[in-house]
Amino acid sequence: MTKVCFHHATFYTMKSINDTVEAVLVENGKIIEIGLFEDLKNQADQCIDLQGSFVYPGFVDSHIHLIGHGDKLRQIDLSTYTSAEKMTADLQLLLNNHPSGEWFVAEGWNENNFADQKILSRYELDKLSSGPLALKRVCRHAMIVNSAALQIAGITRDTPDPDDGVIVRDDSGEPTGYLLDGAKAIIEKHIPEVSINQLVISLETAVNDLLSRGFTGVHTEDMSYYGKYSKPLQAFKEVIGESRKFRVNLLRHHTVFDEMKAEATYDEPWIEPGAMKIFIDGALGGRTALLSEPYADDPTTQGVSIHSQEDLNALVAKARSYGEAVAVHAIGDLGMEMIVEAIETHSVPTGKRDRLIHANVLREELVTRMEKLDVVLDIQPSFVTSDFPWVKERLGNVRMDWAYAWKKLTNRGMMLSGGSDSPIEEVDPRLGLYAAVTRKKPGETHDGYQPEEKLSRFEAIALYTIGSAQAICKEHERGYIDIDFDADFTVFDRNLFEGPDEQLINAQVVKTIIAGDIVFENN
């Protein structure tokens, strides 16, 4: 096999903040030597000059919906709108050319970006289209639909709320078209399935975009949204593999987990089977995250519990029966308490590690229990810049001490991985790093939201390197630059550890290298 020496760069190994080497020798996709160029060049069949750039272990987004990210790039992105009026005006332009009677689905709206925080009703959507129309909220835990969609789904004033969701109604009892969590499923089962070809196009779009941003892989959850799991899995196999190198770890939703364990095959090391994905609650924006006390700005609700404790315990027990870990969406502290109890009852198998996703709202005693578990907290730094300052209204001052508390969790020795949750947030790792380090958006001049929770640059970069490897128990082969590790590198034009914070935003990806192959080059 050809031996390639990458050199003329500063390679940050991530063993410590100052640990660097000037060259690496790669063979068969693995790092076989690190050190001085003079010591390695004579062993190489080929030497690649990285022209003074700065190299990090391959960045991995540990929480994304890859097909949804591709969809977002290909379709209208409602998350960019700052008024309901402008959003509906642009939707009307699209719908004017939309085939009559066919479903139209878009996502990303966020009323917190609107000055009046307006949530559209079915009647306002009726003015846009007489065909079925569904707009998903940015958190994907709520949607608004028009009357045609309600009629197709059979939702009327007499339809009871599902156990795991809410059909929002007006004062007269009529559905407004606003559906929370499990209520969305009543609509979603009537939305026609997309073709494998469309899934392939979205995946190709997503992977090309991620490679250009320096990502060498992702952990993604897509298996339960497009009909039978075999459709998105086939699309992954058509897009990703030896001819298009990119590493994906597939979280498998509990509704398809049995089937996938019995039937599915993968294409490792490019497409890997991951943990059982479980949702416990919703999101803070729509007040569906499950809190132990009522919302400060709406004392009538504590959020939505998608599973009872008994059902949640049973799901974790099922994962354990297969020798598998769980990856659990839990934003509210009561939701987190429920999954902690389930994991305490059913310990994770040796060689596996559970993943607690989001962990936005916690409590001191809950963190003490979490410290005793073999878990990774899968956080999204950009949630801070998206959710503040309005999240203080939801939680009140008392709960803010353990809200988005990344630094305290790090200081307590918790393992943290970093992701975007795209298409909910922007996938750009520079924005994630900047949010973790500054706790504010680019251009803002304040000291940051809860500045005591800022991470160091090393801690922030570790989220996307060491932490993402720990999340899938691969920290002995990924996440560092070292001998016998995968030769996955993210190459920037400047040092992310030095200079002003804006250095993180202005850095440009020079190359993305996977298994020793240059898969993206910024010419």
Side-chain angles (χ1 to χ4, degrees), residues 10 85 94 108 120 136 169 186 210 230 295 383 437 451 460 481:
T10 302
E85 291 75 20
L94 283 176
L120 297 172
K136 299 178 182 180
R169 305 166 198 271
I186 306 174
L210 290 163
S230 55
Y295 280 79
F383 276 14
V437 168
I481 295 177

Side-chain angles (χ1 to χ4, degrees), residues 268-444:
E268 300 184 69
W270 315 119
I271 302 171
E272 306 167 335
M276 175 192 280
K277 176 67 182 290
I278 304 171
F279 286 87
I280 286 183
D281 62 356
L284 290 165
R287 298 185 186 84
T288 55
L290 187 60
L291 303 177
S292 57
E293 300 291 337
Y295 280 79
D297 58 353
D298 186 357
T300 66
T301 183
Q302 291 176 233
V304 174
S305 177
I306 293 177
H307 301 286
S308 68
Q309 186 68 60
E310 181 181 9
D311 290 342
L312 182 60
N313 288 355
L315 286 173
V316 175
K318 176 189 286 189
R320 304 311 193 220
S321 72
Y322 287 113
E324 293 285 2
V326 293
V328 186
H329 168 115
I331 287 183
D333 63 322
L334 182 53
M336 185 63 77
E337 183 178 347
M338 291 175 68
I339 186 55
V340 167
E341 180 174 327
I343 291 173
E344 290 172 338
T345 304
H346 303 284
S347 298
V348 67
T350 301
K352 298 286 185 176
R353 185 173 289 132
D354 291 323
R355 183 191 314 222
L356 305 180
I357 302 170
H358 306 313
N360 290 35
V361 186
L362 300 171
R363 306 190 307 271
E364 172 76 35
E365 68 274 15
L366 194 52
V367 175
T368 299
R369 292 168 67 184
M370 292 161 63
E371 287 178 297
K372 300 173 184 177
L373 305 175
D374 191 6
V375 297
V376 167
L377 302 186
D378 194 347
I379 69 166
Q380 293 68 49
S382 291
F383 276 14
V384 172
T385 53
S386 292
D387 294 359
F388 280 79
W390 61 260
V391 74
K392 295 180 179 179
E393 300 174 5
R394 297 283 193 275
L395 298 177
N397 290 330
V398 173
R399 284 181 284 210
M400 293 308 299
D401 190 47
W402 274 105
Y404 306 75
W406 313 146
K407 187 67 172 185
K408 279 200 287 289
L409 291 167
T410 299
N411 290 342
R412 294 280 284 262
M414 301 295 294
M415 290 182 282
L416 273 62
S417 62
S420 63
D421 206 3
S422 181
I424 292 171
E425 297 288 347
E426 290 298 318
V427 78
D428 192 335
R430 299 173 303 174
L431 292 175
L433 293 173
Y434 189 83
V437 168
T438 69
R439 309 273 294 192
K440 62 185 178 182
K441 294 178 180 178
E444 292 181 338

Side-chain angles (χ1 to χ4, degrees), residues 211 215-216 244-246 512-514 517-521:
L211 291 173
F215 284 112
T216 60
R244 189 199 298 258
K245 292 182 177 178
F246 191 69
T512 305
I513 301 170
I514 301 177
D517 287 346
I518 298 172
V519 294
F520 169 79
E521 197 161 11

Side-chain angles (χ1 to χ4, degrees), residues 13 15 30-34 480-486:
T13 69
K15 295 177 186 177
K30 293 283 188 178
I31 301 170
I32 61 172
E33 291 288 348
I34 61 175
Y480 297 92
I481 295 177
D482 203 358
I483 295 171
D484 292 332
F485 277 64
D486 288 331

Side-chain angles (χ1 to χ4, degrees), residues 69-80:
H69 177 63
D71 290 342
K72 180 179 180 179
L73 294 172
R74 296 173 54 230
Q75 301 168 0
I76 186 171
D77 179 8
L78 302 184
S79 68
T80 63

